[in-house]
Amino acid sequence: MLQARKAGTTSAIGSFTVTVSDAQGLICNGAANSAVSHTSDSEKTVIQKKWKAPASGQISNIEFSVTFVKDFSTFWVGVKSSVITYTGTSTPVTAAPTVPSWNTECGKSKVCFSQPSNCDPTTATNCYFMSVQTSSSQSEMKIEIVGPSNGYVAIGFSDDQAMGNDAIYICGKDNSGLLQVQHAFSTGKKTPNILTLGNVSDIKTAMTNGVLNCSFTSRNPISTGSRAASVSEYFLMIAAGPSSQGNIQFHTNTYVTQSKVNLLKPAAVSAGEKYPAIVKAHGALMLIAWMTTGSVGMLIARYLKAVGKGKGCCGKDVWFLAHVTLMSLSIIATAIAFILVFSYARDWTGGAHPVLGCLVMILTLIQPVVAALRCDPQHEKRFVFNWAHSFIALAIKGLAVAAIFTGLALIGKSEDEEWMLKVMGGFVAWEALIYVLQDLHKRTKKKDAEICSLGLMSTELVLLLLFLLGNLAFLIALLVGIGKA
């Protein structure tokens, strides 16, 4: 039960606004909603309500008095807040924080991290900003968090640039739409564990035109597990995303400093690359493997067996040598990409993308084994190999395309990078068109009625070259996009 009282008395003052079902207003001394209480025995960590001072009458300093229960034998009665001072002015006093000192105090008395670099959180609505002012003994930190979001903006202190084992503070909406500050700890690439707020005071919150603003003083120690090499140097992180019923959802914007920041040395810092080079290399290799080398190798095996027949090396036709070479390059690129991303993540991140990637890697390794064990072309069971080889190839291709789409979706969570999904969609349509044209030509050729004759160069080869040119255009566009991400 929570009630506001005139300081030093038991007289209730003001009223509470009750909008959701987790609390109920109480009538005390005939005054409606002059106190609030719970509505169920479900376990809870926080209930946040708005209190409104009386519009008239004898107004003075107040304090909040609260009684709360843990279990039948453990409870606290009449716990008092610090006294809230009445200013005596006719203008309402707001508890909303501001960041007036962003350009004068950053680098002088506090560490500031913003994205875009050096943006002004007081004027720019797209500015993500955090500041930390640390006492010399590191026993106290004054923290500010500002950023546009429809759910939450969170900051983190980490020993590396990856999520996991990070101390986190969240400025976000609760289940009634009010802003709250939460303390959390991440244990991998999943929803952080919400901790008790601990020794946090002077909490001020504001929400203006979709921009969330929280400031507070924390005396909690920063805990990042056992990897910390310095007690004052950390990578700083900012993440923002939606929330549902007060629970944070997967972030849509993330920013990390380029290097560790010493909290005892005031500075203005900026974000490093959103995606490390090793992750970009993973994506680039997978694109090359399954947009170019793999796609061209499959087209050659399906439609160009008759081109240059009888010509080749070591008793093998040129189409076969080209097919084996291109598919071998695809296997090598896939394996390297797979090793790179797992050596970086060192964990299972969850979601569809890693599952699809693992399936592609497994089938990619199975395919050459199946090919090596094939029987002679004249063998009566040869059709078994043909069907198995074709089915596995089709499965790899479908899974690889799905993996690329889900990978690009992870990058394309911001509007600036959504275009890459559209480019990939264009590539799929382009490849489908070439397959249709090749198949149509193959069928008409069997009837001795070619669609067109191109003289010295076969139609199959012309379509392959046409596909390769378009393929490279799509591939280069995506590689450039990944490089800039």
Side-chain angles (χ1 to χ4, degrees):
M1 184 170 71
L2 174 67
Q3 187 178 64
R5 297 174 177 176
K6 291 183 180 180
T9 74
T10 59
S11 301
I13 187 171
S15 61
F16 290 89
T17 300
V18 179
T19 57
V20 294
S21 60
D22 64 351
Q24 59 183 336
L26 302 178
I27 300 175
C28 299
N29 298 326
N33 294 328
S34 56
V36 288
S37 180
H38 64 280
T39 55
S40 75
D41 61 356
S42 62
E43 291 187 358
K44 50 190 73 69
T45 58
V46 61
I47 293 180
Q48 188 173 358
K49 296 298 164 194
K50 280 187 176 180
W51 175 82
K52 185 178 181 181
S56 60
Q58 294 183 343
I59 306 175
S60 61
N61 298 345
I62 69 161
E63 60 187 1
F64 288 94
S65 179
V66 62
T67 293
F68 51 98
V69 178
K70 180 179 180 181
D71 53 43
F72 185 81
S73 59
T74 308
F75 50 89
W76 295 260
V77 178
V79 179
K80 298 288 194 300
S81 72
S82 58
V83 174
I84 299 174
T85 304
Y86 172 61
T87 64
T89 63
S90 58
T91 303
V93 178
T94 177
T98 58
V99 195
S101 60
W102 76 273
N103 57 349
T104 58
E105 296 303 318
C106 289
K108 295 181 179 179
S109 64
K110 58 187 179 181
V111 172
C112 299
F113 173 35
S114 59
Q115 181 63 30
S117 182
N118 296 321
C119 62
D120 183 353
T122 62
T123 58
T125 58
N126 67 334
C127 180
Y128 291 95
F129 175 89
M130 69 170 284
S131 71
V132 182
Q133 187 172 7
T134 310
S135 64
S136 58
S137 62
Q138 297 188 70
S139 61
E140 179 180 287
M141 295 187 301
K142 294 181 179 179
I143 297 174
E144 298 167 314
I145 306 173
V146 185
S149 176
N150 61 357
Y152 71 92
V153 179
I155 64 169
F157 302 88
S158 179
D159 293 321
D160 55 29
Q161 291 181 299
M163 183 177 174
N165 293 331
D166 313 314
I168 297 172
Y169 287 99
I170 303 167
C171 173
K173 297 179 182 179
D174 63 11
N175 57 5
S176 60
L178 301 176
L179 274 186
Q180 63 178 348
V181 173
Q182 293 176 293
H183 187 202
F185 185 80
S186 64
T187 56
K189 293 177 172 59
K190 57 184 179 181
T191 304
N193 297 323
I194 302 299
L195 309 175
T196 57
L197 197 53
N199 199 349
V200 174
S201 60
D202 302 327
I203 298 175
K204 298 178 182 178
T205 63
M207 184 164 45
T208 307
N209 297 325
V211 177
L212 311 186
N213 191 337
C214 294
S215 70
F216 53 92
T217 299
S218 173
R219 296 177 181 84
N220 297 323
I222 296 177
S223 175
T224 58
S226 59
R227 297 179 297 154
S230 170
V231 294
S232 62
E233 293 187 355
Y234 302 93
F235 287 98
L236 302 182
M237 299 177 166
I238 298 177
S243 61
S244 176
Q245 297 298 313
N247 299 315
I248 66 173
Q249 306 298 304
F250 193 82
H251 50 71
T252 54
N253 297 82
T254 57
Y255 309 101
V256 185
T257 54
Q258 294 178 356
S259 57
K260 284 187 176 182
V261 178
N262 191 329
L263 300 182
L264 295 176
K265 295 181 179 180
V269 296
S270 58
E273 289 187 317
K274 189 174 181 181
Y275 298 97
I278 193 171
V279 175
K280 293 180 179 180
H282 161 80
L285 285 170
M286 292 300 284
L287 288 176
I288 293 169
W290 298 109
M291 282 183 66
T292 306
T293 57
S295 294
V296 174
M298 290 180 182
L299 267 172
I300 290 173
R302 182 172 176 83
Y303 298 110
L304 274 76
K305 290 182 180 179
V307 177
K309 194 169 184 179
K311 298 179 181 179
C313 179
C314 303
K316 302 295 183 182
D317 288 344
V318 66
W319 76 265
F320 180 82
L321 296 174
H323 172 72
V324 170
T325 300
L326 290 169
M327 298 315 295
S328 296
L329 289 173
S330 298
I331 294 171
I332 293 170
T334 302
I336 294 173
F338 188 82
I339 293 169
L340 285 177
V341 77
F342 266 91
S343 66
Y344 167 75
R346 299 181 184 178
D347 193 6
W348 183 259
T349 58
H353 184 68
V355 174
L356 292 168
C358 286
L359 290 173
V360 169
M361 186 72 258
I362 292 169
L363 291 175
T364 299
L365 294 175
I366 290 175
Q367 185 74 314
V369 175
V370 172
L373 297 176
R374 69 188 183 279
C375 52
D376 293 333
Q378 293 77 25
H379 197 281
E380 61 179 2
K381 299 294 185 181
R382 175 73 177 200
F383 72 92
V384 175
F385 162 75
N386 292 339
W387 277 102
H389 197 60
S390 299
F391 175 79
I392 295 173
L394 183 62
I396 293 174
K397 181 65 178 179
L399 291 169
V401 169
I404 291 172
F405 268 113
T406 53
L408 293 176
L410 293 175
I411 297 175
K413 284 184 178 294
S414 63
E415 292 182 2
D416 293 339
E417 292 154 346
E418 287 181 350
W419 63 269
M420 287 191 283
L421 284 169
K422 298 175 182 177
V423 172
M424 186 61 193
F427 165 74
V428 172
W430 172 249
E431 187 171 24
L433 174 63
I434 295 297
Y435 267 90
V436 169
L437 293 176
Q438 287 276 24
D439 208 66
L440 185 61
H441 173 70
K442 185 178 180 180
R443 291 174 183 274
T444 55
K445 192 174 181 180
K446 286 181 178 180
K447 300 178 181 179
D448 294 326
E450 287 192 77
I451 297 177
C452 61
S453 177
L454 299 173
L456 297 176
M457 188 175 291
S458 68
T459 304
E460 295 93 340
L461 191 56
V462 170
L463 289 173
L464 177 66
L465 293 175
L466 187 63
F467 169 71
L468 186 58
L469 290 174
N471 178 295
L472 290 174
F474 287 110
L475 176 65
I476 291 171
L478 290 178
L479 291 178
V480 171
I482 289 177
K484 291 182 177 180

